[in-house]
Amino acid sequence: METTMNKQSARVLFSNKTKQIVVEVICYLFVLLWLYAATNKILDFQKFQVQIGQSPILTDYAVIIAWIIPSIEIILSIALLLKRTLIAGLYASFGLMLMFTTYIIIILNFAERVPCSCGGILEKMGWTEHLIFNIGFVILALIAIIFQTQLNENKAR
């Protein structure tokens, strides 16, 4: 009984309206991030492809990855804007950010040379700042997933 009470009080901590606003803000932040990142990669595609090729982990797959990443970022932006695909877009955004974060950790800890394939403002960040930025977005995605799941459960009742 106490566990049920704790779960219920945790869910009541934020109203449904507050949860909805938080989810929307996080989704818009991701849309902004994904479209910004994809646009930078596409506008300077040759540079992005070369930088991917310099990665000790991604060299063999540079051409295909250079096409796939911006495509996924654009698709995720659209998914986050549509109610029907919102939760899938959140999970995919969480997964992609987790992959990018893992990649940074691997590069920082195991690579002899640290390449950069970021563009625009993100290019100005150091790798540690970029890691913190990514972890922040991983946490935001997780919050949005939890809140949206709770909102969906409340609608189903």
Side-chain angles (χ1 to χ4, degrees):
M1 182 156 148
E2 187 177 322
T3 306
T4 306
M5 294 284 285
N6 288 340
K7 283 184 180 178
Q8 287 176 346
S9 56
R11 288 179 188 227
V12 180
L13 188 60
F14 297 101
S15 71
N16 284 345
K17 184 67 175 166
T18 302
K19 289 177 186 177
Q20 186 63 48
I21 291 169
V22 169
V23 169
E24 287 176 13
V25 168
I26 291 171
C27 285
Y28 290 134
L29 286 171
F30 267 105
V31 168
L32 184 65
L33 174 67
W34 294 141
L35 289 179
Y36 176 79
T39 301
N40 273 302
K41 290 173 179 99
I42 291 167
L43 289 177
D44 205 349
F45 186 78
Q46 206 59 36
K47 178 183 173 188
F48 175 61
Q49 189 174 346
V50 167
Q51 288 173 333
I52 290 286
Q54 292 172 346
S55 168
I57 299 172
L58 306 175
T59 303
D60 295 338
Y61 310 101
V63 174
I64 189 82
I65 289 174
W67 283 101
I68 289 175
I69 291 176
S71 300
I72 289 173
E73 291 169 340
I74 292 167
I75 291 167
L76 285 179
S77 296
I78 295 166
L80 290 168
L81 293 173
L82 302 174
K83 211 49 151 170
R84 235 177 64 224
T85 55
L86 174 67
I87 197 75
L90 286 170
Y91 274 105
S93 293
F94 172 77
L96 190 58
M97 283 307 295
L98 201 56
M99 286 173 44
F100 289 159
T101 304
T102 302
Y103 173 77
I104 291 172
I105 291 169
I106 291 168
I107 289 294
L108 287 175
N109 288 304
F110 301 108
E112 291 177 22
R113 194 172 61 84
V114 181
C116 183
S117 57
C118 305
I121 296 169
L122 299 179
E123 192 173 25
K124 308 288 185 250
M125 284 191 224
W127 280 91
T128 303
E129 292 87 1
H130 203 131
L131 179 62
I132 293 166
F133 178 86
N134 281 20
I135 290 170
F137 268 87
V138 167
I139 292 167
L140 287 175
L142 198 53
I143 290 168
I145 289 167
I146 291 167
F147 282 3
Q148 188 60 45
T149 301
Q150 290 173 354
L151 289 167
N152 290 347
E153 287 172 0
N154 289 340
K155 275 186 191 173
R157 288 185 205 163

